[in-house]
Amino acid sequence: MVVSRDKTPSAQETFAQMAQAAGLRSRLLLTIGLLILVRLGIFIPVPGIDRVAFAQNIQNNQALGFLDLFAGGGLMALGIFALGILPFINASIILQLLTAAIPALEDLQKNEGEAGRRKISQVTRYVALGWAIIQSVGITVGLIKPFAENWGPFFVVQTVLALTAGSMFVMWAGEVITERGIGNGASLLIFLNIVSGLPRSLGQTIELAQGGDRNIVGGVIILLLVFLAMIVGIVFVQEGTRRIPIISARRQVGRRMYLEKSSYLPLRLNQGGVMPIIFASAVLTLPAFLTQVIKNQAFSQFISTYLSPTSWLHVALYLVLIVFFSYFYSSLIVNPVDMAQNLKKMGASIPGIRPGRATSEYVERVINRLTFLGAIFLGLVATIPTAVESATRVPTFRGLGATSLLILVGVAIDTAKQIQTYVISQRYEGMVKQ
């Protein structure tokens, strides 16, 4: 993509045009309505379960509590939307890994255009359905069984169908938001789930600070300062770009020679946005889920000791997964060869770099450096608050965590950008009509 230097609308102009644009208003209302509907579905209970005892079991399990955060409290409430968007996220990870590994899927995505992407999306839905069934069976047999009032085959089938159907509805709502609303549907659903837990976390922190312990009060203040610094860092990473200058070929019209306006090739510091964090977090929730399905004391002890959110192995794996998914997502979003070919077709080139293969190799080197820096910074932002929490001994913010903070800020930035892009497109359409 080559971007010319143009002015973007200010925040006041954006909000003013949002109020006037009927199309944007309808998209926002559709998005808000579906988000509210999904949130309400979390509190529609699955029948036949001792909900109080089940919620206490989830609270006492740190790993399941981390998983419950991304379900927006749906796992603890055990509503029909308890699985939320997680089966779809896991299915997306599986399909993207398979796309990179299987040439047929890669050709389907790159060479068949929109039709190929639709086929891959359809396969992703089927994988999400299968994954939702597996997770529903695991939750029903591994978690719910001790708290079921009338355990039996009918109860298992009923619960699995309810949880699977709820997950498929949430997936459908996310796709509708992506296509007809504002923002990425899956990211917004995770954003909603995390935001829903903020009042509880903040309330617990305030109660702890009101206890009068100076060490706790000081720890809360330090933690708040660290979180504010992390927000600044996240915005820096999400907004950071490397602008490679582009020289356009001269155009001669009659006897006059014209030069194109100055332009540049924008390469983001973090190409994958918030998705590497979401995927890394989703992968790390699998061991906690397996401990409930595989009733093995040695396996459960290993997971709780070495893969708990505060263990060094968990932190190391988290960093590795962030780096891996950052590179993986970057390879899916940006293709240096296609970028070099497009520049050559437009008669544009990078100063000091020959068109063609030399350009693609140069762009690839720049992208690799940017992705590495962005991934390392994301990893540091994700792990530093956990270390500060352990040092200050303020555990109530652990419900929020750096991962959640990254997702909140990243999704907010991406959604705001999409709204701004929509406003700009409507402005240009209005200019053309006039």
Side-chain angles (χ1 to χ4, degrees):
M1 179 188 294
V2 178
V3 179
S4 60
R5 303 184 187 275
D6 192 8
K7 293 183 179 180
T8 58
S10 64
Q12 293 180 350
E13 292 177 346
T14 301
F15 283 115
Q17 294 191 20
M18 282 173 56
Q20 298 174 1
L24 184 56
R25 283 202 306 270
S26 63
R27 284 176 173 267
L28 286 172
L29 290 175
L30 175 66
T31 302
I32 295 172
L34 286 175
L35 290 177
I36 292 174
L37 184 61
V38 170
R39 186 61 193 164
L40 291 176
I42 289 177
F43 301 100
I44 300 176
V46 176
I49 299 167
D50 185 354
R51 217 164 306 281
V52 176
F54 182 81
Q56 291 177 351
N57 180 55
I58 298 297
Q59 284 181 339
N60 296 330
N61 191 311
Q62 188 177 14
L64 289 178
F66 181 76
L67 183 63
D68 185 58
L69 173 67
F70 289 94
L75 185 60
M76 186 181 297
L78 205 59
I80 60 174
F81 291 171
L83 292 180
I85 197 66
L86 287 180
F88 178 73
I89 295 295
N90 292 329
S92 300
I93 295 174
I94 294 171
L95 259 294
Q96 290 185 0
L97 291 174
L98 291 178
T99 300
I102 301 176
L105 289 175
E106 187 176 5
D107 293 339
L108 187 66
Q109 184 182 45
K110 292 183 177 181
N111 300 330
E112 296 195 19
E114 185 63 27
R117 285 190 289 270
R118 288 180 180 176
K119 291 179 181 178
I120 291 180
S121 298
Q122 189 65 25
V123 174
T124 304
R125 296 187 190 103
Y126 289 132
V127 175
L129 174 61
W131 194 256
I133 293 173
I134 294 173
Q135 284 188 311
S136 299
V137 172
I139 290 175
T140 304
V141 177
L143 293 180
I144 298 177
K145 184 178 180 180
F147 310 98
E149 296 175 356
N150 295 305
W151 176 262
F154 178 76
F155 174 83
V156 173
V157 173
Q158 168 188 281
T159 305
V160 169
L161 286 177
L163 294 176
T164 303
S167 177
M168 292 299 99
F169 181 86
V170 173
M171 181 186 70
W172 171 82
E175 290 185 346
V176 172
I177 291 173
T178 302
E179 295 176 4
R180 303 180 185 179
I182 292 293
N184 182 281
S187 298
L188 282 175
L189 288 171
I190 296 177
F191 178 92
L192 175 67
N193 293 337
I194 295 173
V195 168
S196 65
L198 289 182
R200 181 178 60 187
S201 297
L202 292 175
Q204 292 174 352
T205 304
I206 292 173
E207 290 179 2
L208 190 63
Q210 289 176 344
D213 190 340
R214 293 182 178 180
N215 294 330
I216 295 296
V217 174
V220 171
I221 294 174
I222 293 174
L223 199 58
L224 285 173
L225 293 176
V226 170
F227 270 46
L228 290 175
M230 291 300 101
I231 291 175
V232 175
I234 293 166
V235 173
F236 172 78
V237 172
Q238 295 296 101
E239 294 294 293
T241 57
R242 166 75 183 277
R243 297 183 176 185
I244 301 177
I246 299 297
I247 299 176
S248 300
R250 297 182 178 181
R251 296 185 298 111
Q252 185 171 356
V253 180
R255 295 182 178 180
R256 302 187 64 179
M257 188 72 69
Y258 293 91
L259 291 175
E260 296 289 342
K261 291 183 178 180
S262 61
S263 57
Y264 60 87
L265 189 67
L267 297 177
R268 295 181 61 183
L269 182 61
N270 179 27
Q271 294 287 346
V274 73
M275 296 311 293
I277 300 296
I278 295 176
F279 283 0
S281 302
V283 170
L284 288 177
T285 59
L286 292 179
F289 173 74
L290 292 176
T291 57
Q292 303 300 319
V293 178
I294 303 174
K295 298 296 184 179
N296 186 286
Q297 186 176 0
F299 178 73
S300 300
Q301 183 67 26
F302 174 82
I303 296 299
S304 62
T305 303
Y306 296 103
L307 290 181
S308 64
T310 56
S311 68
W312 65 268
L313 184 58
H314 182 279
V315 173
L317 286 175
Y318 193 27
L319 289 173
V320 171
L321 286 172
I322 289 174
V323 173
F324 170 75
F325 282 116
S326 295
Y327 274 100
F328 181 73
Y329 230 82
S330 177
S331 66
L332 294 178
I333 295 174
V334 182
N335 189 328
V337 176
D338 293 342
M339 195 175 292
Q341 292 177 352
N342 292 333
L343 288 174
K344 190 174 183 180
K345 290 177 182 178
M346 292 187 298
S349 62
I350 301 173
I353 306 296
R354 298 184 62 182
R357 182 176 179 180
T359 298
S360 65
E361 291 177 350
Y362 173 77
V363 172
E364 185 176 5
R365 288 197 301 270
V366 173
I367 291 174
N368 287 336
R369 289 198 297 266
L370 291 175
T371 303
F372 179 76
L373 292 175
I376 293 299
F377 196 88
L378 283 178
L380 292 176
V381 169
T383 54
I384 287 176
T386 303
V388 175
E389 287 174 359
S390 300
T392 56
R393 297 180 181 179
V394 181
T396 52
F397 267 107
R398 197 161 292 160
L400 175 62
T403 302
S404 305
L405 194 64
L406 283 164
I407 295 173
L408 289 177
V409 178
V411 173
I413 291 174
D414 291 341
T415 305
K417 280 187 175 182
Q418 186 167 343
I419 293 175
Q420 193 176 61
T421 302
Y422 192 86
V423 169
I424 293 173
S425 65
Q426 284 203 332
R427 174 192 292 181
Y428 287 153
E429 287 178 4
M431 293 172 60
V432 172
K433 290 179 181 179
Q434 292 175 0

